Amino acid sequence: MTQPHQQSTASTVPTPKELREQVEQNRHELGQTVEALADRADVKTRARAKATEVKEQAVVKAGELKAKATGVAQQVRRSGSTCPDRVAAQGRSKPVCCGNWATASTRRTGLT
């Protein structure tokens, strides 16, 4: 069998300086890869970060809902009607607690 003849030329053989630069570049890339893998493997830290993110979202949503509920409560107070009156006017079979009626109920039962 014959093997292909390889010619060595000065331009294809890296110099020691080029080899050192390649080694340093490979070390740098390997270090980044190891850091990325370590971050992915750190489940506890990832869980904490996710919990913090969800908590912040919940706080924002709670603020939005509170503002909305306050607005609805003010509208009910301004209307001057009580909940049973509104339920009867809307023809609902199941009463919905709201506004003055719910407040009166809680005062009677001591749930304030």
Side-chain angles (χ1 to χ4, degrees), residues 8-27:
S8 275
T9 62
S11 64
T12 60
V13 177
T15 64
K17 181 181 178 183
E18 291 172 334
L19 288 173
R20 281 192 283 283
E21 289 172 357
Q22 286 178 355
V23 166
E24 285 303 313
Q25 179 64 29
N26 288 343
R27 283 182 182 160

